[in-house]
Amino acid sequence: MSTDALTPAGRTSEAYAWLILSIGVGQSAGTALAGRFAEQPLASAALPAAGAAFTFAVLLAAHRQLRPAGQLLRGQYRRPLRGRRKTP
């Protein structure tokens, strides 16, 4: 899935900003931790496993929110616009 598919119309710039921010924060935190633990052999082996476990936990917690834009959750329905015009 791409960021475009998961983002509602009109919010693409914000979605990419959050994506870039999260990548930057992850890289800086990973670099800081890797530098700190580079001298310790046990910690250097456990660091990638801890990162993978954290990523899995975040994705597991957010799996209901990650769906293509416009796709409704089970049990949700769009209401018709009654007496209102659609805005482009």
Side-chain angles (χ1 to χ4, degrees):
M1 293 253 152
S2 69
T3 303
D4 289 333
L6 294 171
T7 306
R11 310 269 319 252
T12 307
S13 296
E14 181 183 358
Y16 277 108
W18 280 107
L19 178 65
I20 292 168
L21 174 74
S22 64
I23 290 170
V25 168
Q27 286 177 337
S28 62
T31 301
L33 286 173
R36 193 87 150 134
F37 294 126
E39 301 290 325
Q40 301 169 359
L42 183 60
S44 64
L47 192 59
F54 176 74
T55 303
F56 180 71
V58 168
L59 290 175
L60 192 61
H63 83 281
R64 297 215 11 110
Q65 298 297 324
L66 297 175
R67 64 184 181 282
Q71 182 182 3
L72 299 174
L73 290 176
R74 188 179 302 168
Q76 288 183 335
Y77 302 98
R78 290 204 172 117
R79 294 183 186 175
L81 297 173
R82 291 187 217 146
R84 294 183 280 164
R85 287 189 309 177
K86 287 185 178 181
T87 55

